[in-house]
Amino acid sequence: MSLSKSAARDALKQYFGYSEFRLAQERVVERTLEGRCSLVIMPTGGGKSICYQLPGVLLDGLTIVVSPLIALMQDQVSALLANGIEAAALNSACEFEQEQSVMRLAETGGLKLLYVSPERAVSAGFLSWAGRLNVSQIAIDEAHCVSMWGNDFRPEYTQLRRLLALFPGVPTAALTATADGATRHDILQQLALPDCEVFLSSFERKNIKVEVLPAQNRIKVMLKFLGARSKESGIVYCLSRKSTEQTAQKLRQAGYAAAHYHAALPADERRRVQESFQKDETQVVCATIAFGMGIDKPNIRWVIHYNLPKNIESYYQEIGRAGRDGDAAEALLFAGYSDMRTLKQFIDNGDGSEQFKGVQDSKLQRMWDYTQSTSCRTNFILGYFGEHREARCGHCDNCLHPPVTFDGSVLAQKALSACYRLKQEVGLNLMVDVLRGSTSQEVLRRGFDQLSTYGVGRDVDWKSWRHYITQLIDRGFLAIDFTRHNAIVLTELSRAVLRGETFVELCEPQEADFKSKALQEDEIALPDNVLLQALKALRKQIAEREESKAYSVFSDASLKDMALKKPGSIEAFMGVSGVGTFKADKYSDEFLAAIASHVPQEQRQMTSDVEIKKVTRAKSKPPANDFLLGKLSTTHLATYELYEQGSSASDIAAERGLSRQTIEGHLFRLHLNQRQIDVSELIDSEQISYIQDLWRALDQPLRIKVVHAESDGSVSYEQIRYAVCLLSVSGSVI
Ligand code: ADP
Ligand code: ZN
């Protein structure tokens, strides 16, 4: 099957709501449609999924996706279902019955994409079953897991050739965000894909603003930063378990919904923190690096490194968790030399050969060099990974506010000679006091006012002195002796400065100005921002109703685009990024109504330049059925626990911070799943008959929305689902 270029683009809009391909997406899609193999290397958030999901929709048959993380798999499946694309997963979290029904669907052509864990994909049972299916594509996500050189090596990946061998001639796409040459080579060799083209995209994360600040007043600076981002999710990475707890507590005291996370917490507590972060209930997680694998929250808007990371690889991976939805995000790093020392000790006291320690040491040193760099930080990182370029990135602090440098030789001499006169015995603050000629008790008591350097730096203010001395320490002209109360001491480089033999370049201090770098959301003019908040509230309400995640309804980027475009018609609504035909059909009424209530008609957009053409798919299934009787999950059980303690629906809603409607939905579902719930307060028998009659009269639609519209809103979504589900429970229809 071969589709023209424009057909692939039309399908991108129709199924995923995007009008343009990104990076290598289009070429990979075309290649797969031609029946050929690709290795796709793209940074996190680059859009790897579309590369195999779009062909998955268009090709006649099933796409098998091998993916190693259950949480990621589940999220991908939900996102596909939200776009009306039939997808399911087989992994160790599935129950037997669920598995059987997924397998039946795959056999009968009712699935377009099937996600499987690598263990499953290479098991004898799966291979003999899958061999009978009409498979049109194989996608291998996180393909670097095949390489023993990487951190995420999975032995099962090396056996995937057995799966590939079952389907000769079926196009395969292997995808990863890990760039290095050795891993790439390994993937190609181990998977042995015939005639495989490699698509290597730049590793630049254009949507992440990176910034480095000295590690001073970190909590204060963080609160200032958060002040302008009071609704945005973020992670604060800390070095120790204790500091995750302390930092989270300080943020809570300041009124933020913050939690801590580290490997020593009990498993269910860790799960709870992850879930509430995922649902936007917890805004900030202060965590050790244990918090990472498996979080697939696309709308993390910022990552702060409270401490220095151990190397550039870790740093880039951690900041990469921000902005996976492609929307603007920020990374802030606090660079403090005392962390350098701690990390160095970890290396020295750790296991491993001297050679290994030497490598770790030099990686740590590069990390420090990064924090001290005054040129483009993105280029520093890209260079580290072997990607070299001249042009500046324009989204790092050094590009946005180039540091102002000057000849600081005289200042340096003053500081160094003060250090010498003070016998290398005092800390930074007292040293500044002496330079500035302070008359503080301590200065006078210790006779420092008698020194020749007393007051030689009066003309420079206190804060700037601290800044300059910190720079001198960073450059190695001074050092801190941590064993003697952090006294500032001279180094082997000091002598040349004191003799005037070395030129010392210093940077002017700069106040971190978080306001000007605030997120796009703050840059959106006020009336639009009010609309945006209303759209977000509506999204939350729908997600609660559907028991899905907010971002599977629409991403932040889609809502922003919607707030800016203000569609006033279905056609204009379809022009919004991320709105495909399925979502337009499902959500346009509610979103258009919300926009209409905020924006006068003449300001609404009625038409769109995005042309929507329908692409017919090889096979299609009936739309999802809203009336399927759902299973109970942890959220229902949490409601049940409170209910059993005698709380009313409203109490439970208040206690759990959910809407009353959602709780009613839970109670109904609990009742349908044979739990002792008195639903007589939530619905009466007259309402039940009314809904059931209406549903039959409408020819048994699959969507609640249809019944709701016809009832003129006299009954709620939850009531409708319950009354219709009752019919199937009592053994009749559906
Ligand atoms: P990756 O797997 O490479 O980390 P994803 O496939 O999860 O990235 O995509 C990241 C985000 O970018 C998702 O929110 C996705 O919907 C969005 N995206 C992907 N392709 C496009 C596109 N062509 N236009 C706009 N957004 C896109
Ligand atoms: Zn830059």
Side-chain angles (χ1 to χ4, degrees), residues 11-27:
L12 178 71
K13 179 64 202 168
Q14 183 186 339
Y15 293 105
F16 297 93
Y18 303 126
S19 2
E20 294 297 331
F21 281 107
R22 273 196 199 152
L23 300 170
Q25 283 175 341
E26 184 165 25
R27 282 160 55 218

PDB file of all heavy atoms in Angstrom, residues 11-27:
ATOM      1  N   ALA A  11      -4.156  12.563   7.025  1.00  0.00           N
ATOM      2  CA  ALA A  11      -4.440  11.603   8.089  1.00  0.00           C
ATOM      3  C   ALA A  11      -3.895  12.102   9.422  1.00  0.00           C
ATOM      4  O   ALA A  11      -4.484  11.880  10.478  1.00  0.00           O
ATOM      5  CB  ALA A  11      -3.842  10.244   7.748  1.00  0.00           C
ATOM      6  N   LEU A  12      -2.752  12.814   9.379  1.00  0.00           N
ATOM      7  CA  LEU A  12      -2.173  13.360  10.613  1.00  0.00           C
ATOM      8  C   LEU A  12      -3.170  14.311  11.270  1.00  0.00           C
ATOM      9  O   LEU A  12      -3.370  14.302  12.484  1.00  0.00           O
ATOM     10  CB  LEU A  12      -0.869  14.092  10.283  1.00  0.00           C
ATOM     11  CG  LEU A  12      -0.162  14.756  11.465  1.00  0.00           C
ATOM     12  CD1 LEU A  12       0.438  13.705  12.397  1.00  0.00           C
ATOM     13  CD2 LEU A  12       0.949  15.702  10.992  1.00  0.00           C
ATOM     14  N   LYS A  13      -3.805  15.130  10.454  1.00  0.00           N
ATOM     15  CA  LYS A  13      -4.794  16.071  10.995  1.00  0.00           C
ATOM     16  C   LYS A  13      -6.041  15.326  11.456  1.00  0.00           C
ATOM     17  O   LYS A  13      -6.559  15.543  12.550  1.00  0.00           O
ATOM     18  CB  LYS A  13      -5.136  17.125   9.925  1.00  0.00           C
ATOM     19  CG  LYS A  13      -6.190  18.147  10.366  1.00  0.00           C
ATOM     20  CD  LYS A  13      -5.703  18.998  11.525  1.00  0.00           C
ATOM     21  CE  LYS A  13      -6.873  19.615  12.291  1.00  0.00           C
ATOM     22  NZ  LYS A  13      -6.464  20.217  13.567  1.00  0.00           N
ATOM     23  N   GLN A  14      -6.499  14.447  10.614  1.00  0.00           N
ATOM     24  CA  GLN A  14      -7.761  13.772  10.926  1.00  0.00           C
ATOM     25  C   GLN A  14      -7.679  12.942  12.211  1.00  0.00           C
ATOM     26  O   GLN A  14      -8.571  13.003  13.046  1.00  0.00           O
ATOM     27  CB  GLN A  14      -8.155  12.871   9.752  1.00  0.00           C
ATOM     28  CG  GLN A  14      -9.492  12.192   9.992  1.00  0.00           C
ATOM     29  CD  GLN A  14      -9.803  11.191   8.889  1.00  0.00           C
ATOM     30  OE1 GLN A  14      -9.259  11.269   7.792  1.00  0.00           O
ATOM     31  NE2 GLN A  14     -10.690  10.263   9.183  1.00  0.00           N
ATOM     32  N   TYR A  15      -6.607  12.201  12.378  1.00  0.00           N
ATOM     33  CA  TYR A  15      -6.541  11.295  13.531  1.00  0.00           C
ATOM     34  C   TYR A  15      -5.854  11.887  14.748  1.00  0.00           C
ATOM     35  O   TYR A  15      -6.150  11.530  15.872  1.00  0.00           O
ATOM     36  CB  TYR A  15      -5.849   9.981  13.137  1.00  0.00           C
ATOM     37  CG  TYR A  15      -6.689   9.199  12.165  1.00  0.00           C
ATOM     38  CD1 TYR A  15      -6.375   9.141  10.823  1.00  0.00           C
ATOM     39  CD2 TYR A  15      -7.856   8.569  12.612  1.00  0.00           C
ATOM     40  CE1 TYR A  15      -7.178   8.455   9.927  1.00  0.00           C
ATOM     41  CE2 TYR A  15      -8.660   7.879  11.727  1.00  0.00           C
ATOM     42  CZ  TYR A  15      -8.319   7.829  10.384  1.00  0.00           C
ATOM     43  OH  TYR A  15      -9.130   7.155   9.518  1.00  0.00           O
ATOM     44  N   PHE A  16      -4.883  12.791  14.516  1.00  0.00           N
ATOM     45  CA  PHE A  16      -4.133  13.309  15.661  1.00  0.00           C
ATOM     46  C   PHE A  16      -4.311  14.809  15.847  1.00  0.00           C
ATOM     47  O   PHE A  16      -3.882  15.370  16.846  1.00  0.00           O
ATOM     48  CB  PHE A  16      -2.644  12.960  15.521  1.00  0.00           C
ATOM     49  CG  PHE A  16      -2.404  11.475  15.517  1.00  0.00           C
ATOM     50  CD1 PHE A  16      -2.340  10.766  14.324  1.00  0.00           C
ATOM     51  CD2 PHE A  16      -2.299  10.778  16.712  1.00  0.00           C
ATOM     52  CE1 PHE A  16      -2.149   9.389  14.323  1.00  0.00           C
ATOM     53  CE2 PHE A  16      -2.109   9.401  16.721  1.00  0.00           C
ATOM     54  CZ  PHE A  16      -2.037   8.702  15.521  1.00  0.00           C
ATOM     55  N   GLY A  17      -4.907  15.452  14.869  1.00  0.00           N
ATOM     56  CA  GLY A  17      -5.204  16.870  15.021  1.00  0.00           C
ATOM     57  C   GLY A  17      -4.052  17.811  14.697  1.00  0.00           C
ATOM     58  O   GLY A  17      -4.149  19.004  14.938  1.00  0.00           O
ATOM     59  N   TYR A  18      -2.932  17.309  14.153  1.00  0.00           N
ATOM     60  CA  TYR A  18      -1.805  18.190  13.843  1.00  0.00           C
ATOM     61  C   TYR A  18      -1.726  18.469  12.353  1.00  0.00           C
ATOM     62  O   TYR A  18      -1.918  17.578  11.541  1.00  0.00           O
ATOM     63  CB  TYR A  18      -0.478  17.553  14.287  1.00  0.00           C
ATOM     64  CG  TYR A  18      -0.461  17.200  15.749  1.00  0.00           C
ATOM     65  CD1 TYR A  18      -0.146  15.921  16.188  1.00  0.00           C
ATOM     66  CD2 TYR A  18      -0.792  18.161  16.703  1.00  0.00           C
ATOM     67  CE1 TYR A  18      -0.148  15.610  17.538  1.00  0.00           C
ATOM     68  CE2 TYR A  18      -0.794  17.850  18.058  1.00  0.00           C
ATOM     69  CZ  TYR A  18      -0.478  16.572  18.462  1.00  0.00           C
ATOM     70  OH  TYR A  18      -0.485  16.266  19.789  1.00  0.00           O
ATOM     71  N   SER A  19      -1.421  19.731  12.011  1.00  0.00           N
ATOM     72  CA  SER A  19      -1.400  20.047  10.578  1.00  0.00           C
ATOM     73  C   SER A  19      -0.029  19.878   9.951  1.00  0.00           C
ATOM     74  O   SER A  19       0.081  19.827   8.740  1.00  0.00           O
ATOM     75  CB  SER A  19      -1.914  21.455  10.295  1.00  0.00           C
ATOM     76  OG  SER A  19      -2.233  22.118  11.437  1.00  0.00           O
ATOM     77  N   GLU A  20       1.037  19.853  10.757  1.00  0.00           N
ATOM     78  CA  GLU A  20       2.378  19.706  10.180  1.00  0.00           C
ATOM     79  C   GLU A  20       3.116  18.560  10.849  1.00  0.00           C
ATOM     80  O   GLU A  20       2.978  18.356  12.054  1.00  0.00           O
ATOM     81  CB  GLU A  20       3.196  20.990  10.426  1.00  0.00           C
ATOM     82  CG  GLU A  20       2.674  22.211   9.701  1.00  0.00           C
ATOM     83  CD  GLU A  20       2.714  22.078   8.189  1.00  0.00           C
ATOM     84  OE1 GLU A  20       3.593  21.353   7.682  1.00  0.00           O
ATOM     85  OE2 GLU A  20       1.852  22.684   7.524  1.00  0.00           O
ATOM     86  N   PHE A  21       3.945  17.889  10.080  1.00  0.00           N
ATOM     87  CA  PHE A  21       4.822  16.880  10.663  1.00  0.00           C
ATOM     88  C   PHE A  21       5.988  17.575  11.346  1.00  0.00           C
ATOM     89  O   PHE A  21       6.346  18.682  10.979  1.00  0.00           O
ATOM     90  CB  PHE A  21       5.373  15.955   9.573  1.00  0.00           C
ATOM     91  CG  PHE A  21       4.395  14.918   9.137  1.00  0.00           C
ATOM     92  CD1 PHE A  21       3.767  15.005   7.896  1.00  0.00           C
ATOM     93  CD2 PHE A  21       4.101  13.840   9.962  1.00  0.00           C
ATOM     94  CE1 PHE A  21       2.860  14.042   7.494  1.00  0.00           C
ATOM     95  CE2 PHE A  21       3.198  12.871   9.556  1.00  0.00           C
ATOM     96  CZ  PHE A  21       2.566  12.973   8.320  1.00  0.00           C
ATOM     97  N   ARG A  22       6.587  16.893  12.300  1.00  0.00           N
ATOM     98  CA  ARG A  22       7.773  17.425  12.950  1.00  0.00           C
ATOM     99  C   ARG A  22       8.983  16.589  12.576  1.00  0.00           C
ATOM    100  O   ARG A  22       8.868  15.391  12.371  1.00  0.00           O
ATOM    101  CB  ARG A  22       7.623  17.250  14.451  1.00  0.00           C
ATOM    102  CG  ARG A  22       6.911  18.350  15.137  1.00  0.00           C
ATOM    103  CD  ARG A  22       7.254  18.155  16.592  1.00  0.00           C
ATOM    104  NE  ARG A  22       6.334  18.842  17.440  1.00  0.00           N
ATOM    105  CZ  ARG A  22       6.071  18.426  18.672  1.00  0.00           C
ATOM    106  NH1 ARG A  22       6.604  17.338  19.145  1.00  0.00           N
ATOM    107  NH2 ARG A  22       5.253  19.115  19.415  1.00  0.00           N
ATOM    108  N   LEU A  23      10.138  17.220  12.598  1.00  0.00           N
ATOM    109  CA  LEU A  23      11.416  16.535  12.353  1.00  0.00           C
ATOM    110  C   LEU A  23      11.284  15.479  11.250  1.00  0.00           C
ATOM    111  O   LEU A  23      10.779  15.767  10.187  1.00  0.00           O
ATOM    112  CB  LEU A  23      11.940  15.924  13.657  1.00  0.00           C
ATOM    113  CG  LEU A  23      12.194  16.929  14.783  1.00  0.00           C
ATOM    114  CD1 LEU A  23      12.480  16.235  16.105  1.00  0.00           C
ATOM    115  CD2 LEU A  23      13.364  17.830  14.431  1.00  0.00           C
ATOM    116  N   ALA A  24      11.711  14.255  11.551  1.00  0.00           N
ATOM    117  CA  ALA A  24      11.751  13.243  10.491  1.00  0.00           C
ATOM    118  C   ALA A  24      10.437  12.476  10.352  1.00  0.00           C
ATOM    119  O   ALA A  24      10.355  11.528   9.576  1.00  0.00           O
ATOM    120  CB  ALA A  24      12.896  12.277  10.772  1.00  0.00           C
ATOM    121  N   GLN A  25       9.399  12.882  11.096  1.00  0.00           N
ATOM    122  CA  GLN A  25       8.168  12.086  11.109  1.00  0.00           C
ATOM    123  C   GLN A  25       7.670  11.697   9.719  1.00  0.00           C
ATOM    124  O   GLN A  25       7.369  10.535   9.457  1.00  0.00           O
ATOM    125  CB  GLN A  25       7.054  12.857  11.831  1.00  0.00           C
ATOM    126  CG  GLN A  25       7.163  12.846  13.334  1.00  0.00           C
ATOM    127  CD  GLN A  25       6.116  13.719  13.995  1.00  0.00           C
ATOM    128  OE1 GLN A  25       5.518  14.602  13.356  1.00  0.00           O
ATOM    129  NE2 GLN A  25       5.890  13.499  15.279  1.00  0.00           N
ATOM    130  N   GLU A  26       7.585  12.706   8.843  1.00  0.00           N
ATOM    131  CA  GLU A  26       6.965  12.447   7.549  1.00  0.00           C
ATOM    132  C   GLU A  26       7.742  11.406   6.749  1.00  0.00           C
ATOM    133  O   GLU A  26       7.164  10.486   6.166  1.00  0.00           O
ATOM    134  CB  GLU A  26       6.875  13.748   6.752  1.00  0.00           C
ATOM    135  CG  GLU A  26       6.152  13.568   5.433  1.00  0.00           C
ATOM    136  CD  GLU A  26       5.732  14.902   4.823  1.00  0.00           C
ATOM    137  OE1 GLU A  26       6.385  15.919   5.137  1.00  0.00           O
ATOM    138  OE2 GLU A  26       4.776  14.916   4.042  1.00  0.00           O
ATOM    139  N   ARG A  27       9.086  11.538   6.803  1.00  0.00           N
ATOM    140  CA  ARG A  27       9.894  10.607   6.012  1.00  0.00           C
ATOM    141  C   ARG A  27       9.811   9.189   6.566  1.00  0.00           C
ATOM    142  O   ARG A  27       9.782   8.217   5.828  1.00  0.00           O
ATOM    143  CB  ARG A  27      11.332  11.106   5.930  1.00  0.00           C
ATOM    144  CG  ARG A  27      11.422  12.242   4.892  1.00  0.00           C
ATOM    145  CD  ARG A  27      12.636  13.104   5.079  1.00  0.00           C
ATOM    146  NE  ARG A  27      13.873  12.349   5.084  1.00  0.00           N
ATOM    147  CZ  ARG A  27      14.907  12.621   5.888  1.00  0.00           C
ATOM    148  NH1 ARG A  27      14.825  13.616   6.754  1.00  0.00           N
ATOM    149  NH2 ARG A  27      15.999  11.899   5.830  1.00  0.00           N
TER     150      ARG A  27
END
